[in-house]
Structure formats: C-alpha cells, structure tokens
Amino acid sequence: MNRRQFLFAAACGAAGAAVWSMRPTAQGEGGHPSYFAQLERSLREHGLARPTLLVDLDRFDRNIDAVLGELGPRHFRIVAKSLPSPRLLDYAMKRAGSDRLMSFHQPFLNHIARALPASDVLLGKPMPVVAADRFYRALAAGPFDPARQLQWLIDSPERLRQDRELAAVRDVAMRVNVEIDVGLHRGGIVDPVELARLLVALDEDPRLEFAGLMGYEAHVAKLPTAGGAQARELERVQIRYRAFLDVLRERIGTPLPEPKATAARATGTPAAAPGPTGTVPLTFNAGGSPTYRLWSEVDGIASELAIGSGLVKPLDFDLPTLAAHVPAAWIATPVLKAMDGLNVPGLGPLNTLWRLWDPNRERTFFVYGGYWRARPVSPAGLDENPAFGRSSNQEMLNGSQAVALEVDDSVFYRPTQSESVMLQFGDLALVRGGRIVDFWPVLEERA
Ligand SMILES: Cc1ncc(COP(=O)(O)O)c(C=O)c1O
C-alpha cells in the first residue's frame, strides 16, 4: 500500500468510526418503575388483560387542587369533552365545588342532562340547529331544565335567527351565550358593533335570553414568553374582550365583573355579574387548560375559566403553564409476543444492519391493540417501528436488550390528548393508592 492509499484508507476508517460513534444509544432501564409495577399487579388482580384506560384519582385530585389554588374568585367550568365520563365529571365537580360543565357534542349533552341533572352547561361550540332540535327531541323528562341550566352558543346573526325559529317551533325558552373572537380566529363575532346588533335581536324575542360571552384564547399559550410575546398577546386578548363588555355595559347597564375585589377574594365570591333581569348571573367565559394560570394576573373580565385536559395532563399539555400538574391517565395493554431481533417483512438483511446500527431495535414486541393517540412510556425505551407501520390490532414496538418485557407483561402509554382517547376503551379503570378501585362508564353516543 503506497502512502496515498494508506491515507485514503485511514480517512475512510476515521469517517466510518465517526459515523459509528453517532449510533443511537441503547435506552431502557429494565422493567417498570415501582408506580407502574404496582398498576400492573392491580391489573392482574382484576384479571384485566386487554387495553385499559386508567385514571389515577390521587393525581387527578392534585390537578384539581392545583387549579383551585390559582382560580381566585373565578368559577371553575369543567370541560366535559376532555374528561368524558359522567362519574368522572361528577367527581371533579364535587371536589372543585362547581356545577359548571362545558359540552361540545349533542349526544353527550343529552347524556349529561340525564346523568348530571343539576349541572349548569355551556356549549363550547355552536351547534347546527338540527343538532339543537335533536337535543330537545331526545331530552328525557327529568329535573334538567334547559331553559335555566343550558347556554347555547351562537356565533352569527344567522345562527341566532335559526335558534329563534327553533325556540318558536318547539315553544321553548333558550339562553344564548355569544362566542367572541378574542384572537384565536376560530370564529365568533369579531366586531363589538355586531354584539350590539345581536342584543337588539335578542331583546325582540321573549323566548331567548342573553346569557353571556365566551372568548377562548388557547393560542396565547403557544407564544414564546421570551421577548414578552405571550404577555403582549394576553394584553390584546383583554383589550378585545373588554371592547365587548363595554358594549354590554352601555346597552344593559349591567355592572360587569370588576377587578378582583379583596372582599371577593376573601369570601371566594365569584366575580359574576347579575343578568339583565337581575336574577341569573351572566357568564363571561375564557380560558382553557393551557392558559388558565395566565388569568391569575388579570383583573376582572372573565367570571369563569374552562379547564378539562389539565386534570389528566396528556402529553400535548406538557406546557410551562401546567408545570404544577401531573399526568393522571394511562393506557395499559398486554404484550402478546416478545422476540429477539428485528424481522420487518421486505427489509431482508437490512434488518440486521438496522439492529446493529440502532440497539433500540434489538427486541421486538407485539402488543394488544395500538395506534392510539399516545406514546409508550413504561417500561422506558420502547418505540413504534416506522417501517413495519402502525396497527390498531397488534402494534409492533421495539426496544433494546435493556428493556425487561415478556409475554403477558403490560406496556403503559401516556395519551397525547384525552378527549378521543378516553372514549376508546369502554369503562375507565379508577386507581386509588396504586390499586384499581372502580370502573366508570364513558359518555354515550346514544341520543
Ligand atoms: C371553547 C373552549 N374552552 C376551553 C377549552 C379547554 O379545554 P381543555 O382544558 O380540555 O384544553 C376548549 C378546548 O378545546 C375550548 O374549545
């Protein structure tokens, strides 16, 4: 080998070593940490060997208490879609001392009216008038009184016109809350002058009653705090909300929520304003899990904040504003097959190369179910296989030799969101002190 060949070979060797040193490192720390090991024992004791959605009530309590610690005089409206089980909602309402729910789905609204007839419900989105009509048709006789306990949401004069027609045809009284665009730009009225016009139309109809405003500002949490972008947008949200409140103040002379009064703070009296008749307080709704904490710096404006997901803290809610919250919902599912190596059809010898390159492909597992909006979290070091693809029937997971997992063991996933995931497993399994203590049904599509 001459000098030039030697240098070339040395360079190739160095480049190869540099590339090899970039290999992924093996993840995995054996089996489950003690928290999940205890949950696995409890699943076994209950004979549960199928995908199961667990809600840890101890952690759920901590999250409710974290919200209560920040709310000040505002009401807590619990977002039903994000905790879609009547008993879980009932539990949250009792601990939070609130009868307020936000609903987004007509069949669930009917179920709430049946199962939680003492609740006060605000729609979180405008319903097609046909869905509103169906709600009344499906409403079973019972103590839930929509004329008093339900606020429909309207976002346009056209929807108001349709609701007026519905109220006339059904001869029902309807309370309506107006969706305002405070910066999210997901609809709702933009111009305060429009609110004045809606109020005129509402005044003309004795069947309809104005119930308040709903302005959702989820986008604020997505803005960077560095450089003050988040604080500036929250300021703009307040300016927009106040412009609508000014219209109200002028038109109905209602004393609107004032800055958090010391007395209100001391007594816990909510900053709600009496309604036009002086009887039912108006609702000025804002917030969501990602933003509710920001409102503790704001005086007045919102009389209540809507929060749901933060009580179970799925992965998408790992946000600085929810740092005080802890994950409280998991999917547990059994391992059906465990094998050494990697054998993705069609990859042939590339399987070996891939496994050599990435030690996290040394073992292969197939679990019961899969393809959920969720990520595997325990035992640590598991990942889906992008080449094999996703499966709702038997999903492939890979891990290193350091992952201690065998057939019939459980894998735990953390949902990325709660609203659709929690509806996929039948009854929720409730955990207290690390043990499954009860099973609660989820909201029903029936109606
Ligand atoms: C109008 C409205 N308010 C509040 C929320 C907050 O819900 P969560 O706390 O579950 O994020 C949502 C979520 O979609 C919403 O649409």
Side-chain angles (χ1 to χ4, degrees), residues 32 40 43-44 48-51 332-339 363-369 372 378-379 382 393-397 403-413:
H32 295 298
E40 185 176 56
L43 285 159
R44 287 212 165 103
L48 279 172
R50 55 164 165 78
T333 199
V335 175
L336 300 178
K337 298 150 191 171
M339 47 201 103
R363 297 194 72 203
T364 296
F365 309 96
F366 286 91
V367 296
Y368 190 153
W372 300 293
S378 187
L382 292 171
N393 169 30
Q394 300 178 63
E395 182 137 84
M396 181 195 277
L397 295 175
V403 176
L405 194 63
E406 299 306 333
V407 169
D408 289 345
D409 290 346
S410 296
V411 172
F412 292 88
Y413 289 72

Side-chain angles (χ1 to χ4, degrees), residues 380-392:
L382 292 171
D383 199 3
E384 293 97 6
N385 188 302
F388 189 83
R390 311 296 307 269
S391 167
S392 303

